Amino acid sequence: MSGPSPASAPDAILLRTSINGDAVSVAVEPHHTLLEVLRYQLDLIGSKQGCDKGDCGACTVQIDGKPALACLTLAVHAEGRAVTTVEGLGDAHGGCHPLQDAFDRHDAAQCGFCTPGILMSADSLLRRNPRPVSRDEVREALAGNLCRCTGYTKILDAVVDASEVMHGHGSDDAKKEVAQ
Amino acid sequence: MLRLPRFGVQTPDTLEDAVAALAQPGARLVAGGTDILPNLKHRLDQPPVLVSLSRVASLREIREEDGNLVIGAGVTLTEIAEHDRVRALFPSVAYAAGVIASPLIRNMGTLGGNVNLDTRCRYVNQTHFWRTAIGGCLKSEGDVCHVVPKGRICVAAMSSDLVPVLGSLGSTLVNQGPDGPRELPLLDYYGADGTAHIKREPGEVTREVRIPLPSTPTRARYAKWTVRKSIDFPLVSVAINVQLASDSVDAEVTGVSVVVGVLGSKPRVVTRLDEVIGRKLSDATVAHTVATRVHAQCKPLENVPYEAPYRRQMIRVFAQRAIEEMVAEG
Amino acid sequence: MSEHDEPMPTHETGGHVGGVHRKVDAMERMRGVTRYTDDLKLPRMLHAKIKRSPHPHAKILSIDASAALAMPGVHAVITGRDLPTPYGIIPWTPDETALCVEKALYVGDGIACVAADDEDTAIEALEKIDVKYEVLEPLYDPEQALERRDNQINPYSRKGNLSKKVLLEFGDIDGTLEQSDLVVEGDYFFEGTTHAAIEPHCAVAHVEPSGVLTVWSATQVSHYLHRELAKVLDMPANRIRVIQPPLGGAFGGKSEPFDLEFCVAKLALMTGRPVKLLYTREEVFYSHRGRHPMKMKYRTGFTKDGKITAVDAFTILDGGAYSSFGLVTTYYSGQLLCAPYGFDAYRFHSRRAYTNKPACGPKRGHGSVQPRFAIECQIDKAAEQLGLDPIDMRLHNDIGPNAQTVNEFRVGSNGFSECLRRVRASSSWDAKRKELPYGRGLGVAGSTYISGTNYPIYPNDMPQAAVQITLDRSGRARVFSGANDIGQGSNTMLAVIAGNELGLPLEHIRVLSADTDLCPVDLGAYSSRITLMVGNACLEAAQKLRRQVTTAVGKRWDVPRKRVTLADGQAIDREDPERNVPLAEAFQWAEADEGLLSATGSYNTPKDRHGDYRGGTIGASPAYSFTAHVAEVDVDRSTGIVDVKTIWVAHDCGRALSRKIVEGQMEGSAYMGFAEAIMEQHIVDPGHNGVHPGPSLLDYRLPTFLDTPDLEALIVESPDAQGPYGAKEAGEGPLHPSIPAIANAIYDAVGVRMDSLPFTPPRVLAAIEARAAREKAGELEPHKPTLGGAQETA
């Protein structure tokens, strides 16, 4: 029950994992979270730190396809798993995922700080539901991601729009812009 | 950034190896990490080594065995909430798992972590700096209780959503220790001291929870209230399981079990419910009687961050509504 | 379009204004490649942490850092004595120091700062700094603090615990109230709240070999930070560069210097190495500067037909440990109340007290959200007593366009009545309000807000905003602006204006902002000033360049300049559109004629729009926005839980330069107000040494996706002659009516007045039960008797 006091530093551990499809080997401190390793060792800065401990969702990444809080995941837990961060989100879509495009068209990112985490949760929702999704489904799926700027409205617009674009029911906005 | 203390991590592949690793002095278990890691960031403990269950595949099964549904301790809360058999057999379990914290926490958090969830208190789940400003407490660096002044026993709140539900269904818990497995009724696992509220023997790892398949028609429900509809820990937490003479809400009640969480350090089993036995569940006096008993016996404390008198009032309202909703659903 | 529309200047070029745009800097944020402050990593960078006071009020007797300094990996430790110069965002109230020098004034006040190889080492070093305190009696209650002349909290205060007092009186307040048909009296309490931007504060400092100090900071006021760094570090400002990297939200919470910026600068100067300091979320709560708790006593007079005659306001502000913007807040608590309703007599008496709490400051809707709650509830009470429809009553009191307020502010365009009509129609107010059963209700409220203030924080005659634009041979424009884009989209706003004037697509415009080495001075992102002020400066610069380009093209085509228009990336002959040339070539022609194409624009406020009395400039603005909300609620009579279903937000922003960005500001504002109404409160616990009861995003609950009502943004455009293309603000005004609209809707639903914030379930339930007891005793008629109100409570 003591406060912070120096402990002898345990040895670093070699972490072998896959990040955005790339095989990565990196020596990590056992007490470092995946978020720290991504941000400060691998310079994958898209995952954000907002609340320190799982209360805001800004650090959301996907581990084996499931959204998870990188700030509460020990780096060593990524051993042998596939980690996807926002930097890899567009990889299968020519660099720009339909969600990113929809967020851009709807001005769904204001400061953009929560956006990477929201995109990772939203992508998981859309992969689990290969069809247009409803606003209520989006609300449920994103309920662990806080946004302080938007009042969530434009994010709901964008995720629903992206799901429609991905399944052939392109929104008017998207069609208009494509036509231009 | 709020940082973890320095520690080593071991990631055994089998339950036996995990039990062996846990024998190291001061070693702590980590599964999903959503409870222990914030607590370690808050420096509520400084273990030299964490034994991770992330690679123990045997804990991740759900199966039916000997008249029980057996859920492995490593199954995530999302998996429980979405599992077809759980939903069909024990809808209140699936529901409770699905309203824990947030989707992200549920993807990470496990059944084992949830039944072993540390007790929570507004004076404890804070940073080390914060606690020094109030001089600590029984559960941290001090020797006083801020919830019950002059209290000598910590009353931090048992805050698991699943424990009341699993308890209301008569579940048992299986822990694996150095001497093999130990099975006990889940509700017997909890004690009144919030600093050590679970009776986990040294070196034990929770292996599974066994829920007996119902022998009679039942109606079960979990009522939860929090300020927000996501992320929050429960502030009102009531699990109800009703056995019926036949599969209709107009059938007679043959048994009823009500377990309430977020009071003190153990779940409260509501007693003196016998008088509703023999009444039809749809008889409005059933809901009223149960709610009255719940209200009389459950006294929330100012341990979690919300007004206790209001929480007490709401336990009654939510208990009554839960039964009314069972009836309305038919 | 509102009926108050003035003729719009027709803009032949661009076509961007009023459209929908992809923001100039959003895609890189969504790809995760934008570098916010904590994403900066410099070679050999050290990490700093601040040791904070565990006491709410204590004298520092000694600080011994020798054990910390002796630790391997620790490079430097500083204390208040290393940075002893007091500073303050308001030049008249310099009452804080980078770290405490003599006293700690709240739990979390900074005492010492360590720079080490990594954060873990820095944290361990903090524990080894031995601070001896003499604990002093803390004061938490502002009224009590004002009475306690024997216990002065802030050592730099000149008037004990009175931080600021303002008493202003216009017209015959007592006489008018006496003659009014109805006087409504009310006591209101607005609990403080905080900003909780998702990005925690962070700063990085680096000293170049030349000695120039660069500070990167998550700030929304880089210019003021620049000035205060120079003062506290005792360095010439021209040796300091401040850069604001892309920012993760602010809402007023990053609008003044904080301890971390001074600390990293000093530590970088001492160690010769780059230093970073990132706040924990807990520290963000301690830095605070959020909305002031206000205790408000109001008397409001009305005529029988619902005209407001007089407003008498008495307000106590709980300021916390430091002044922050408190001088301004104290004025704003009264000065911003004199529209959208006209009345002839007004008095406000506001006093701000020091207390042993985190300092309060400006949060979105600075100083006026609290009094707006009070006055809009007062009006609702009067409407009920007079048997008037609350929307009709507000329409009846609209001060209208081109008016002068009782405190002598000049209002230009005013779309308030249109805002009321829009929310009335969209919410189906007239039909629905009659029919909603007991437990369901609609409420309305209105408001106004400033588009920047007429005077800067430090007095000077220089422009309040300036923009430089350069055009280059590739057909690109670069816009240099000191303004801080904090997520509100100001960089995009500048690109829209420059692109509109120059006919450039937005992707051909680079906006370089908030770098004091590269950009002209701008005062920063506060008081909703950027669109109007910086937008005007940008417009001027862009128009100068447009003239140069069209002149050069006209010369080559041998046509008058005015026949040349710039649009869609081309210069086009208006009378022969087949004749056109790509802008890159047109820019080259102009550069050949004029030399390097660069123009500046600047903006200063008109100086004839404020009151001619002491304080009469504070709160005066070039242009005012107007807002109306209708909120629909569902109140559970057994639990007191208020479920806000929908908020309709109509906002007169003058002209929406970029529609979805404006809507986003309206929605985000309404959300933030809703959150304050229902669940947020930033308090300390007097029973436990003045600690913040929950300095985390778990315990300080921000509404999630599942908690937030549907928000319907209704843009109203009443162009103002002062704004660029008529534009006024949209970032803060739309917050104000959320709270009173919800309060008034709760009354409509269940017949209880919620005069204290937040409207938590226990409070609402207690009010419902109190009313039920009075109904039972025959003191009150049942509320909505024909719509379920007389039914037995469950």
Side-chain angles (χ1 to χ4, degrees), chain B residues 253 273 275-293 320 323-324 327:
Chain B
V253 173
L273 296 170
E275 70 183 89
V276 304
I277 290 173
R279 294 190 212 160
K280 290 178 180 173
L281 179 57
S282 55
D283 177 342
T285 66
V286 171
H288 183 76
T289 303
V290 170
T292 303
R293 294 277 175 270
Q320 173 146 349
I323 295 179
E324 287 166 353
V327 172

Side-chain angles (χ1 to χ4, degrees), chain B residues 87-167:
Chain B
R87 292 167 72 102
L89 292 167
F90 303 109
S92 64
V93 174
Y95 173 81
V99 295
I100 292 169
S102 74
L104 297 162
I105 300 277
R106 296 196 291 272
N107 283 348
M108 303 167 70
T110 63
L111 173 66
N114 196 257
V115 297
N116 286 289
L117 185 79
D118 202 352
T119 53
R120 299 189 62 81
C121 179
R122 63 171 86 192
Y123 302 106
V124 174
N125 298 100
Q126 305 280 359
T127 65
H128 172 70
F129 164 76
W130 190 99
R131 294 192 305 271
T132 60
I134 64 160
C137 72
L138 293 173
K139 193 172 165 64
S140 62
E141 299 85 354
D143 54 7
V144 296
C145 178
H146 299 284
V147 176
V148 182
K150 298 188 181 148
R152 298 313 305 165
I153 294 179
C154 169
V155 292
M158 196 294 298
S159 299
S160 159
D161 287 288
L162 279 172
V163 166
V165 177
L166 294 168

Side-chain angles (χ1 to χ4, degrees), chain C residues 604-781:
Chain C
N604 219 332
T605 49
K607 302 303 184 203
D608 60 349
R609 303 178 69 77
H610 55 73
D612 189 20
Y613 53 90
R614 183 178 161 83
T617 61
I618 303 181
S621 176
Y624 298 87
S625 73
F626 295 89
T627 313
H629 286 193
V630 165
E632 180 173 352
V633 301
D634 186 340
V635 182
D636 184 328
R637 71 163 77 177
S638 305
T639 64
I641 294 168
V642 177
D643 182 8
V644 182
K645 312 297 279 186
T646 306
I647 303 177
W648 290 269
V649 187
H651 179 73
D652 165 23
C653 64
R655 184 87 196 275
L657 300 181
S658 187
R659 292 190 77 83
K660 283 197 194 265
I661 293 179
V662 169
E663 288 172 2
Q665 289 302 305
M666 294 163 64
E667 291 154 1
S669 290
Y671 153 86
M672 199 168 262
F674 150 77
E676 295 185 59
I678 298 297
M679 60 180 78
E680 292 184 23
Q681 47 185 344
H682 191 278
I683 52 178
V684 303
D685 180 353
H688 290 89
N689 210 29
V691 293
H692 187 300
S696 72
L697 293 187
L698 182 64
D699 292 333
Y700 187 93
R701 300 175 176 106
L702 313 182
T704 71
F705 268 93
L706 291 172
D707 304 300
T708 303
D710 285 331
L711 306 168
E712 301 280 346
L714 308 163
I715 293 175
V716 170
E717 295 183 296
S718 179
D720 196 288
Q722 299 289 333
Y725 307 104
K728 305 187 285 190
E729 74 90 32
E732 303 189 68
L735 188 152
H736 293 70
S738 290
I739 299 158
I742 291 169
N744 295 338
I746 292 171
Y747 183 80
D748 186 43
V750 291
V752 301
R753 290 286 175 194
M754 299 307 298
D755 293 339
S756 288
L757 282 162
F759 314 139
T760 62
R763 289 182 185 174
V764 175
L765 183 59
I768 291 171
E769 287 174 347
R771 183 185 170 107
R774 294 184 64 195
E775 286 180 11
K776 207 170 172 187
E779 294 171 33
L780 279 178
E781 292 297 311

